[in-house]
Amino acid sequence: MRPEAVAAVTRVLTGCFGNPSGVHGTARAARQVLEEAREAVAAALGARPREVVFTSGGTEADNLAVFGVAGRAGGLAVCPAAEHHAVLHPIEASGGRVVAVDGTGRVDLDALAAALHDGVTLVSVMLANNEVGTVTPLAEVAAVVRARAPRAVLHTDAVQGAAWLDVASLAVVADAISISGHKLGGPKGIGALVVREGVGLTPQVLGGGQELDRRSGTPDVAGAAGLAAALVATVAGRSHAARRVAGLRDRLAEGLLAAVPGLVETVPRAGALPGSCHVCIGGVEAEALLVLLDRAGVHASAASACASGALSASHVLAAMGVPPALARGGLRLTLGVTSTPDDVDRVLDVVPAAVARLRGAR
Ligand code: PLP
């Protein structure tokens, strides 16, 4: 976690025990912390404070957007096939439509246009893909949505993108935005959904009417303060970090291409997040590779980890049309703001050796 976030969480946990919904002084002190966090999150995302709904993370924010908007008046929800399951599964569960993506994971705008009509009430398109890092041209998506489904709310899952991209300007076209603390160096279990004023939202958690009646339950004040501190630090250091980390990522990708025969970059780097390095390695099972990498201290990933920690096949690579044999060797190396040149050197030592070992073992 970012030190600023640790400090903010610790300050609340050690000095601010009140329930922000109460009326006495201790409660008011907690309320002030919560509202300051809301103001900071709103400013970082180009929103108004009253548009920020704190949630238990990105998954809840996405679910709230889909069920809270599309669930109204029997509307139809639409999303691309490479969305995170936190969007995809609610949209499928609500009877919505899933549209094609291109070979980089970006939504196919023609397929999107063809799926839209007056009855569509929600379109959800992620700002950047969490597996391969591809960034969505959200303004182009918005133009299609406004032209073809004028009643639809445009939601963007910015959980992965917010660590690197200027959400305030890129998502200005969106009516709702999801973010999550742990993707920014903040705590796990806290996130937010921005819902622009005037967008109707049916709450999915009923109770005491907190968060302006959009999400009941005693708010996680420490989490909100940690999320806000992480987001403020992210925004302040973003352009420098993005340049530095993109340089590291480029060196990593080029080093892997040179050292591992049969390795291909999954998407063009130019259109991907600075911290994303996704490759596919022919003739290698990612699951076996991850075990060897883990033993050597390289903590990488393949598709998304499900709750059991087991790997499931990547629905993102499948949607992109990556042949299954190649997708089985999909390796997701993610860099963050704390990544160093030494980390890259280490990965460049470990990955080629591990791949050679697996190939030799056949
Ligand atoms: N959306 C995207 C794009 C993600 O990458 C993630 C987490 O990995 C989520 C949603 C879910 O967020 P959370 O882990 O905060 O529930």
Side-chain angles (χ1 to χ4, degrees), residues 56-60 62 84 86 126 128 130 157 159-160 180 182-183:
S56 64
T59 301
E60 188 193 330
D62 287 344
H84 190 276
M126 68 205 319
N130 53 302
D157 175 339
V159 166
Q160 195 76 24
S180 173
H182 69 108
K183 295 286 178 166

Side-chain angles (χ1 to χ4, degrees), residues 31 35 38 49-53 197 201 203 208-216:
R31 181 152 203 91
E35 294 315 318
R38 197 185 309 281
R50 57 182 293 116
E51 295 174 333
V52 175
V53 182
E197 250 172 314
L201 188 79
Q210 289 89 345
E211 298 293 292
L212 296 180
D213 226 357
R214 294 166 297 185
R215 197 271 192 183
S216 286

Side-chain angles (χ1 to χ4, degrees), residues 102-141:
D102 66 16
T104 70
R106 205 168 272 155
V107 61
D108 177 332
L109 291 177
D110 293 333
L112 179 65
L116 299 182
H117 51 75
D118 263 355
V120 174
T121 47
L122 180 97
V123 178
S124 184
V125 182
M126 68 205 319
L127 185 56
N129 185 272
N130 53 302
E131 280 188 38
V132 295
T134 299
V135 177
T136 300
L138 211 56
E140 290 174 33
V141 170

Side-chain angles (χ1 to χ4, degrees), residues 131-132 249 252-254 256-257 260 262-267 269 276-282 286 289 301-302 317 322 326-333 351 355:
E131 280 188 38
V132 295
R249 186 271 317 269
L252 174 62
E254 277 149 28
L256 289 173
L257 282 168
V260 182
L263 177 146
V264 291
E265 283 185 84
T266 313
V267 297
R269 258 176 269 155
S276 288
C277 177
H278 196 291
V279 295
C280 289
I281 309 174
L289 179 60
S301 173
L317 298 185
V322 177
L326 192 56
R328 274 199 290 281
L331 178 65
R332 184 178 161 195
L333 295 163
V351 172
V355 171

